[in-house]
């Protein structure tokens, strides 16, 4: 939408001048009152008067017993990626602040957060998304549907059917279904057929519950469209009706819908009302007490969701006994209500023209943008459910607040905060990285990237795209929970398999020009370094190794536990898995949130120049993983190792007290690890490594260890000399039998940005502990064997421009990491 017409013909009140700037426009109420008295208000101001008078009668004239303090109205344009409102009423006995960051009070007065929207019909919304890509930025007032008060009502089913029908009729990408084995359409081994009353198009919830479903095997049947259900079982799983060996035949003769959990009943009703007669539900379509059947069917689950006609995502509640159809929070009359105004002027609506029965909607509260809002819902906290979010080509989402739709070309919701064209997500390399960072997995770019049947997608998707998307997805996955933490690699194996297919399919399109290791993905630049081929011993995995990819293995080794996310995900601590899950160098070896962008974070402290250097200090000569099941190289592991050559230095390691005041508070050197260490609840005690020359450096351990340096010796680890001995350093003599070492991994160097300034340097290195040299059946290389225990990051910016000397006396060695 262009700037309101009032800007071309100046508004007497001045209220609309500058509304589209970042700061917005703030005008004293007197101006609006004066122009109204003079009969000179522009149409937008007359509309605004009607809105304010409806919200707080008498506020404009001061008739609400407000004090004589300054009262003003602020108009501000909506901002991309921030779901903020755009109007604030400041002053009076109660202030209205409708702009982002208003807080809970204004000048000591209570603040009510409200939002203004222009109404739009379902047809108008779909038309706008098809012909006005990303209209969000051009709107002063956001667009909204009249949110259905109840997701189980006829009007809600009609809306969902319209979304589905529009996608089927108009979205070419969503219409293409990748073939199964041999090119034949994929079908799950078993489906539930919706029978009798439950399949009637006008069925109510009660009528559906009186019907039946029948478990059918599809081996000899023709392919049919089916719905898949993504949901949380929740507690009291013993009360959930499942298919087991004892009742398998019984279920093939029919199951009373009323005997099923409420969430499954609701899903059956949705499928039937939207014209689909088959549904896949894990609890009923997999024989739960048959290990062989469960393993076989779990391996195909990725295809079950990818090939579904659409998938129902029941984000809430967290128990399948409660169901997901019912009253919607955002549809409640007290949350959304129409404001009667004479007319909504064309200057403040999209398209520049008024529509019949146009109205302004007012809503209480605030809706966060999708990434933060998702954390409130149980489905988005479960590790197994990630692939159910990424892989379906169409998803109909119920979260108790509103309904939303996600497909390969569009994302939209009832209230309008999610509306977006996503058909070009994951496009050409070198795009706006900052914008990409704002997109969550649910925004569909991963699903688009993995559509291997799309020739254009394969052409533009470089290996670096897959590395970026994979590590971004793993970062989000690591913040989710698993009932059995040892399933870390198993629960993501379907996605790994799909990524593998897409990478392999793209190789032919891209040719063989891409070689070497991807070591960094920076804004507008992907950094690769030459690398010799890695040996893959017989019996080991190929491109996929322990949750990583060989093409970007070195960059992926630079993961670190994200302490800032520990508190956000509800974890107060984390640990390594009780049994074997993955090699120590893999992110899957720890139960906790991880992040991979440390080098990118450090480089962001300076502006990238083509003269800058990013290098790989280690050469991976051999990598191998032993799958627990030889038929599934993407699943559980029973062993694995890396053989690498690079700068190695022997070190001591210590966990020291949190506070050091030997040189005055805050006077010790700091580096990037200190920022990372201070995340979570209370942070962690500093961990330091030091060389024989007593020079020490901060590191972050993968799993917290008990403090083992006394308070009286803490200064010695920061000063580089003994402060607690007899002057000869006897008390702090270096332990030549230490089992710890550091391996230099990646380096970044930038020339001085100002004449005479310092060179900027960043170094990432692994912290290792030597273990018994147990020979691996995958290798006959006789080298020292280590396990990873942490990561160190050093940057000039964080270290007062001191030179980095950790590896000054190190030597190049070949070692094995297990």
């Amino acid at each position: 939408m262009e700037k309101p017409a009032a800007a071309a013909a100046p508004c007497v009140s001045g209220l609309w001048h500058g509304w589209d700037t970042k700061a917005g426009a703030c005008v004293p109420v007197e101006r609006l009152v004066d122009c109204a008295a003079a009969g000179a208000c522009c149409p937008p101001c007359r509309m605004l008067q009607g809105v304010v008078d409806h919200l707080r009668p008498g506020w404009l004239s001061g008739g609400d017993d407000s004090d004589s303090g300054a009262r003003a109205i602020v108009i501000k344009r909506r901002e991309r990626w921030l779901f903020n409102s755009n109007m604030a009423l400041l002053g009076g006995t109660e202030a209205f602040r409708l702009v982002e960051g208003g807080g809970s009070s204004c000048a000591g007065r209570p603040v009510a957060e409200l939002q203004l929207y222009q109404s739009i019909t379902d047809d108008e919304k779909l038309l706008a998304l098809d012909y006005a890509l990303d209209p969000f930025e051009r709107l002063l007032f956001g667009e909204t549907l009249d949110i259905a008060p109840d997701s189980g009502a006829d009007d809600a089913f009609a809306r969902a059917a319209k979304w589905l029908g529009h996608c089927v009729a108009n979205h070419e990408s969503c219409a293409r279904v990748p073939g199964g084995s041999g090119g034949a359409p994929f079908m799950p081994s078993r489906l539930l057929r919706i029978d009798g009353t439950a399949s009637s198009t006008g069925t109510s919830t009660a009528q559906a519950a009186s019907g039946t479903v029948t478990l059918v095997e599809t081996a000899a049947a023709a392919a049919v469209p089916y719905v898949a259900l993504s949901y949380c079982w929740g507690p009291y799983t013993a009360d959930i009706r499942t298919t087991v060996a004892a009742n398998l035949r019984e279920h093939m003769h029919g199951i009373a819908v009323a005997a099923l959990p409420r969430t499954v009943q609701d899903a059956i009703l949705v499928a039937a009302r939207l014209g689909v007669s088959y549904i896949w539900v894990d609890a009923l379509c997999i024989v739960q007490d048959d290990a062989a059947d469960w393993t076989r069917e779990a391996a195909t689950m990725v295809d079950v969701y990818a090939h579904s006609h659409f998938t129902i995502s029941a984000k809430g509640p967290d128990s399948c006994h409660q169901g997901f159809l019912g009253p919607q929070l955002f549809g409640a009359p007290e949350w959304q209500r129409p404001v009667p105004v004479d007319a909504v002027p064309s200057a403040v609506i999209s398209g520049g023209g008024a529509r019949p029965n146009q109205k302004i909607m007012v809503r209480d509260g605030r809706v966060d943008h999708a990434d933060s809002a998702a954390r409130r819902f149980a489905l988005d906290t479960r590790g197994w459910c990630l692939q159910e979010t990424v892989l379906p080509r169409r998803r109909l989402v119920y979260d108790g607040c509103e309904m939303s739709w996600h497909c390969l070309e569009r994302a939209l919701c009832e209230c309008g905060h999610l509306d977006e064209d996503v058909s070009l997500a994951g496009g050409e390399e070198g795009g706006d990285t900052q914008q990409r960072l704002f997109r969550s997995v649910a925004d569909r770019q991963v699903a688009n990237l993995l559509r291997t049947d799309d020739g254009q997608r394969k052409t533009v998707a470089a290996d670096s795209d897959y590395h970026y998307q994979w590590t971004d997805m793993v970062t989000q996955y690591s913040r989710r929970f698993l009932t059995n933490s040892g399933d870390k690699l198993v629960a993501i194996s379907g996605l790994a398999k799909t990524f593998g297919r897409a990478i392999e399919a793209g190789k032919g399109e891209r040719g063989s020009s891409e070689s070497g290791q991807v070591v960094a993905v920076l804004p507008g630049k992907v950094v690769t370094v030459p690398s010799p081929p890695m040996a893959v011993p017989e019996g080991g995995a190929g491109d996929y190794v322990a949750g990583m990819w060989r093409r970007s293995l070195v960059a992926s080794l630079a993961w670190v536990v994200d302490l800032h996310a520990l508190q956000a995900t509800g974890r107060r601590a984390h640990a390594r898995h009780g049994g074997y899950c993955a090699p120590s160098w893999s992110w899957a070896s720890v139960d906790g949130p991880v992040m991979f962008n440390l080098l990118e974070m450090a480089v962001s402290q300076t502006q990238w120049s083509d003269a800058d250097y990013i290098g790989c200090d280690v050469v991976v000569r051999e990598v191998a993983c032993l799958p627990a099941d030889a038929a599934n190289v993407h699943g559980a592991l029973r062993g694995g190792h890396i053989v690498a050559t690079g700068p190695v230095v022997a070190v001591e390691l210590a966990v020291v007290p949190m506070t050091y005041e030997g040189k005055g508070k805050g006077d010790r050197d700091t580096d990037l690890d200190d920022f990372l260490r201070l995340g979570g609840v209370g942070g962690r005690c500093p961990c330091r490594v030091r060389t024989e020359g007593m020079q020490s450096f901060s590191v972050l351990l993968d799993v917290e260890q008990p403090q083992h340096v006394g308070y009286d010796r803490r200064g010695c680890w920061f000063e580089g000399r003994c402060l607690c001995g007899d002057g000869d350093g006897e008390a702090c003599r270096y332990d030549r039998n230490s089992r710890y070492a550091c391996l230099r991994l990646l380096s970044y160097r930038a020339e001085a940005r100002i004449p005479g300034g310092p060179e900027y340097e960043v170094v990432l290195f692994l912290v290792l502990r030597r273990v018994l040299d147990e020979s691996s059946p995958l290798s006959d290389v006789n080298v020292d064997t280590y396990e990873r225990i942490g990561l160190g990051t050093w940057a000039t910016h964080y270290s007062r421009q001191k030179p980095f000397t950790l590896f000054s006396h190190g030597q190049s060695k070949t070692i094995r990491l297990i």
Side-chain angles (χ1 to χ4, degrees):
M1 186 185 97
E2 301 297 329
K3 185 179 289 189
C11 173
V12 175
S13 72
L15 181 62
W16 299 91
H17 297 170
W19 67 269
D20 56 346
T21 65
K22 184 174 183 179
C26 180
V27 174
V29 166
E30 287 77 6
R31 291 192 189 178
L32 186 62
V33 173
D34 290 344
C35 78
C41 280
C42 62
C45 284
R46 289 200 302 273
M47 178 203 70
L48 190 62
Q49 281 183 285
V51 170
V52 175
D53 284 339
H54 177 79
L55 294 174
R56 187 65 76 223
W59 189 87
L60 286 174
S61 61
D64 62 344
D65 296 327
S66 60
D67 60 30
S68 58
R71 288 175 294 128
I73 297 179
V74 176
I75 293 292
K76 183 178 179 182
R77 183 172 183 164
R78 293 167 62 83
E79 296 180 32
R80 194 70 178 102
W81 300 116
L82 290 176
F83 185 57
N84 62 332
S85 295
N86 41 33
M87 188 182 79
L89 308 182
L90 308 179
T93 56
E94 182 176 22
F96 289 81
R97 181 180 292 275
L98 280 73
V99 292
E100 183 75 13
S104 59
S105 64
C106 176
R109 299 184 180 92
V111 172
E113 293 185 341
L114 301 171
Q115 300 166 352
L116 300 182
Y117 294 80
Q118 54 183 307
S119 65
I120 189 172
T121 67
D122 289 281
D123 290 332
E124 287 170 337
K125 166 173 275 197
L126 292 172
L127 188 67
L129 287 174
D130 279 341
Y131 295 102
L133 298 184
D134 200 13
F136 189 97
E137 295 184 44
R138 298 190 294 276
L139 302 181
L140 173 60
F141 294 160
E143 294 180 333
T144 182
L145 301 171
D146 288 347
I147 300 175
D150 191 307
S151 59
D154 289 343
D155 57 345
F157 286 126
R159 174 166 293 157
K162 189 177 289 288
W163 288 347
L164 173 63
H166 182 84
C167 176
V168 170
N170 296 281
H171 295 170
E172 182 180 352
S173 297
C174 304
R176 289 194 295 269
V177 182
S181 58
F186 171 86
M187 284 290 287
S189 299
R190 304 180 189 93
L191 287 171
L192 293 171
R193 186 183 65 231
I194 305 173
D195 303 318
T197 306
S199 63
S200 302
T201 55
T203 304
S204 66
T205 303
Q207 290 171 330
S210 67
T212 61
V213 291
T214 301
L215 185 66
V216 296
E217 294 185 337
T218 64
V224 294
Y226 64 90
V227 173
L229 175 62
S230 175
Y231 67 116
C232 289
W233 286 32
Y236 313 112
T237 56
D239 298 333
I240 298 174
R241 180 72 172 263
T242 64
T243 295
V244 294
N247 64 15
L248 177 60
R249 292 300 170 190
E250 175 189 345
H251 284 185
M252 289 183 173
H253 288 89
I255 311 169
V257 174
L260 300 176
R262 178 62 186 275
T263 288
V264 179
Q265 294 184 39
D266 287 350
I268 291 169
L269 177 60
V270 171
R273 291 294 297 265
L274 271 60
V276 183
S277 299
Y278 292 86
I279 186 169
W280 185 90
V281 180
D282 57 355
L284 296 166
C285 296
I286 300 176
V287 183
Q288 299 296 315
D289 61 350
D290 185 332
D293 189 80
W294 194 95
T295 300
R296 181 177 61 254
E297 296 304 310
T300 68
M301 203 177 296
V302 59
D303 291 313
V304 169
Y305 288 99
H307 292 77
S308 65
H309 187 57
F310 70 92
T311 289
I312 298 170
S313 291
K315 285 194 171 187
D318 59 1
S319 170
C320 66
H321 293 292
Q322 299 177 38
F324 59 85
L325 294 180
Q328 298 197 116
L329 175 63
F330 295 170
E334 62 272 17
W335 196 85
Q336 65 169 3
R337 59 185 184 271
V339 175
V341 293
D342 294 336
V344 180
S346 61
V348 295
I349 65 174
S350 62
R355 292 187 294 268
N357 302 318
Q358 185 73 22
K359 58 186 176 184
I360 292 294
M361 303 290 290
V362 180
R363 293 186 181 148
D364 299 320
R366 208 179 85 202
V367 180
D368 297 327
H369 96 49
D371 188 53
S372 60
R375 306 198 188 284
R376 296 197 299 263
F377 304 116
L379 196 69
D380 294 297
T381 67
R382 307 305 303 171
W384 280 98
C385 296
L386 178 63
Q387 63 187 13
E388 302 166 16
T389 298
V390 173
L391 294 174
R393 51 193 170 133
R394 305 183 183 103
R395 282 196 308 136
L396 179 58
V397 180
Y398 295 87
D399 61 22
C401 296
E402 60 175 341
M403 299 188 304
S404 61
W405 176 263
H406 304 256
C407 68
L408 294 176
E409 296 196 16
R410 295 289 180 267
L412 57 96
C413 63
E414 292 183 278
C415 82
H417 72 279
L418 193 63
D419 299 351
E420 186 178 12
D421 166 44
V422 296
S423 60
L424 300 180
E428 292 191 9
E429 187 178 320
D432 185 353
T433 300
Q434 185 64 31
Q435 191 177 61
R436 290 165 69 190
L437 289 175
F438 276 107
R439 296 174 183 263
S440 67
V441 165
D443 285 336
R444 319 303 292 136
Q445 81 274 29
V446 171
N448 275 312
L449 191 67
L450 299 181
R451 300 295 287 185
T452 57
D453 57 328
D454 188 335
Q456 181 182 9
R457 184 79 49 208
K458 289 187 292 186
T459 301
V460 302
D463 281 349
S464 54
D465 291 312
Y466 292 104
H467 165 71
Y468 174 86
Q469 301 293 357
W470 177 259
T471 54
D472 179 65
M473 187 174 63
V474 166
T475 297
Q476 297 186 50
Y477 172 70
S478 69
R479 284 153 173 73
R480 296 177 175 233
F481 297 88
L482 291 165
T483 302
N484 178 9
S485 63
D487 285 340
K488 200 74 141 182
L489 290 175
V490 180
I492 203 174
S493 61
L495 284 170
K497 183 189 302 182
T498 306
F499 261 84
R501 292 173 183 168
I503 293 172
E504 188 64 30
K507 286 181 180 179
E509 298 287 337
R510 296 189 298 268
S512 58
S513 60
E514 295 185 0
S515 60
Q517 278 283 312
V518 175
V519 294
V521 181
L522 304 174
K525 185 175 184 65
V526 177
V527 183
T528 61
V529 298
S531 177
M534 300 178 191
V536 181
E538 184 177 356
D543 287 341
Y544 182 71
V545 285
M548 304 174 181
W549 301 93
R550 283 197 301 147
R551 169 81 163 122
S552 55
L553 180 59
V554 175
S556 297
L557 291 174
W559 58 269
V560 67
V561 172
D562 185 356
L563 298 183
H564 293 266
L566 281 175
Q567 184 176 14
T569 55
R571 293 177 170 95
R572 297 295 296 268
H574 66 284
R576 293 200 183 275
H577 306 291
Y580 187 84
C581 177
S584 66
W585 41 266
S586 168
W587 58 267
S589 65
V590 298
D591 180 23
V594 298
M595 56 190 295
F596 293 85
N597 61 333
L598 295 185
L599 184 60
E600 288 81 356
M601 287 174 59
V603 172
S604 68
Q605 297 299 320
T606 184
Q607 292 184 347
W608 171 263
S609 166
D610 289 337
D612 295 349
Y613 164 84
I614 292 182
C616 184
D617 300 314
V618 65
V619 175
V620 178
R621 302 191 178 279
E622 181 177 292
V623 58
C625 290
L626 285 175
D629 179 2
N632 184 13
V633 297
H634 301 94
L637 298 176
R638 59 184 177 89
H641 74 255
I642 286 175
V643 175
T645 301
V648 177
V649 62
V651 296
E652 288 183 296
L653 180 138
V655 180
V656 299
M658 179 67 77
T659 304
Y660 168 55
E661 299 174 346
K663 293 178 61 182
K665 185 177 181 180
D667 199 30
R668 64 179 175 82
D669 66 309
T670 60
D671 42 39
L672 187 58
D673 277 320
D674 291 321
F675 164 75
L676 299 170
R677 176 180 57 80
L678 296 176
V681 182
R684 285 187 176 181
C685 291
C687 305
R688 310 282 289 188
V689 295
R690 68 179 179 184
T691 63
E692 188 172 1
M694 302 291 285
Q695 297 162 315
S696 72
F697 302 86
S698 177
V699 298
L700 189 70
L701 299 184
D702 299 335
V703 176
E704 189 169 15
Q705 296 187 7
Q707 177 179 315
H708 60 269
V709 168
Y711 188 80
D712 57 337
R713 292 184 56 200
R714 67 196 186 282
C716 309
W717 280 83
F718 292 104
E719 291 293 334
R721 60 190 177 89
C722 178
L723 301 178
C724 62
D726 57 7
D728 295 327
E730 291 297 322
C732 289
R733 177 175 294 179
Y734 178 79
D735 180 8
R736 293 181 178 272
N737 295 319
S738 172
R739 297 184 296 143
Y740 300 101
C742 292
L743 171 66
R744 187 162 174 150
L745 201 62
L746 295 167
S747 300
Y748 166 71
R749 289 191 296 275
E751 296 180 352
R753 297 297 189 246
I754 57 175
E759 182 184 69
Y760 185 66
E761 183 179 14
V762 178
V763 179
L764 274 63
F765 55 93
L766 296 180
V767 184
L768 311 173
R769 178 168 50 206
R770 191 169 63 249
V771 295
L772 292 177
D773 189 5
E774 299 176 353
S775 298
S776 167
L778 296 176
S779 174
D780 57 2
V781 179
N782 186 20
V783 296
D784 288 339
T785 301
Y786 293 85
E787 64 178 357
R788 170 188 161 134
I789 62 169
L791 184 85
T793 57
W794 186 91
T796 307
H797 177 80
Y798 293 98
S799 303
R800 300 170 183 263
Q801 285 74 49
K802 296 179 181 179
F804 183 60
T805 58
L806 177 61
F807 292 93
S808 297
H809 300 289
Q811 57 181 325
S812 180
K813 290 181 60 176
T814 297
I815 62 174
R816 181 190 296 128
L817 302 179
I818 61 172

